[in-house]
């Protein structure tokens, strides 16, 4: 009886504090990102950190509405309700988007959402007032800035950069 009464409370805490359980892809990506951030480089190529197809990646901050996310990524994201961590200020999100393809229900954009902890992995730097930003796989890179930070928080900030005009 005690176990059954604790289960709802445990699930409530899991979803309200962390945004829900992490997917297998999310866990692998976060581990790969952590190792990449330990290197001394000032830029990061996202392609080797993933084992799924994608053509662009979008970084979005927390607290977006479905309409704001649509403006950032360029199409309505049908699984918006599954981004349970989106309202939480401790996380920001990477959306890896593959090219549009035909599915049994019509045209679809495969999207792999990855939450990134501001405290444990990296902060996100966006243009002033921007809710998100996208870069194409072939012409984009992630710039890494390291600064002093208190113990227990990350000293790393990531910025998406389009290298088309470089």
């Amino acid at each position: 009886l005690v176990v059954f009464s604790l289960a709802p409370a445990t699930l409530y805490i899991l979803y309200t504090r962390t945004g829900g359980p992490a997917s297998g892809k999310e866990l692998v990506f976060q581990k790969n990102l952590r190792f990449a951030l330990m290197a001394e480089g000032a830029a990061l190529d996202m392609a080797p950190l993933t084992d799924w197809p994608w053509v662009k990646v979008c970084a979005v901050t927390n607290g977006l509405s479905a309409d704001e996310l649509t403006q950032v990524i360029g199409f309505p994201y049908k699984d918006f309700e599954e981004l349970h961590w989106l309202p939480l200020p401790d996380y920001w999100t990477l959306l890896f988007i593959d090219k549009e393809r035909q599915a049994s229900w019509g045209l679809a954009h495969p999207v792999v959402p990855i939450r990134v902890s501001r405290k444990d992995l990296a902060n996100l730097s966006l243009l002033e007032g921007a809710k998100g930003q996208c870069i194409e796989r072939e012409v984009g890179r992630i710039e890494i800035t390291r600064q002093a930070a208190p113990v227990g928080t990350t000293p790393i900030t990531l910025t998406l950069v389009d290298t088309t005009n470089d």
Side-chain angles (χ1 to χ4, degrees):
L1 186 60
V2 171
V3 171
F4 290 122
S5 64
L6 291 178
T10 303
L11 288 174
Y12 173 78
I13 291 169
L14 177 67
Y15 278 93
T16 59
R17 303 285 275 183
T18 68
S23 70
K25 287 181 178 179
E26 187 174 58
L27 293 172
V28 169
F29 179 81
Q30 288 173 354
K31 181 183 78 168
N32 291 342
L33 179 61
R34 185 172 282 115
F35 288 140
L37 294 175
M38 284 188 227
E40 293 290 325
L44 177 64
D45 180 12
M46 299 293 277
L49 304 180
T50 62
D51 62 355
W52 56 84
W54 57 278
V55 294
K56 76 176 178 179
V57 62
C58 298
V60 295
T61 191
N62 62 300
L64 265 70
S65 67
D67 291 337
E68 290 171 326
L69 183 63
T70 298
Q71 286 180 333
V72 172
I73 65 175
F75 60 92
Y77 180 48
K78 67 177 185 64
D79 295 327
F80 177 79
E81 298 300 323
E82 294 179 18
L83 301 176
H84 301 288
W85 63 87
L86 204 54
L88 303 175
D90 295 342
Y91 298 95
W92 56 278
T93 306
L94 285 169
L95 298 165
F96 291 90
I97 303 168
D98 200 10
K99 60 184 172 245
E100 189 174 51
R101 61 178 67 135
Q102 187 65 37
S104 61
W105 60 87
L107 290 175
H109 283 276
V111 177
V112 176
I114 304 290
R115 81 187 106 185
V116 180
S117 170
R118 294 182 191 276
K119 180 180 174 187
D120 298 330
L121 283 173
N123 288 306
L124 174 65
S125 175
L126 294 171
L127 297 173
E128 177 111 13
K131 299 281 188 171
Q133 177 184 356
C134 298
I135 57 172
E136 300 293 323
R137 181 177 184 148
E138 302 302 321
V139 296
R141 73 169 186 257
I142 306 279
E143 287 188 353
I144 302 169
T145 307
R146 293 174 174 87
Q147 63 275 345
V151 174
T153 60
T154 183
I156 296 171
T157 300
L158 301 181
T159 307
L160 279 68
V161 177
D162 186 340
T163 62
T164 305
N165 298 327
D166 288 352

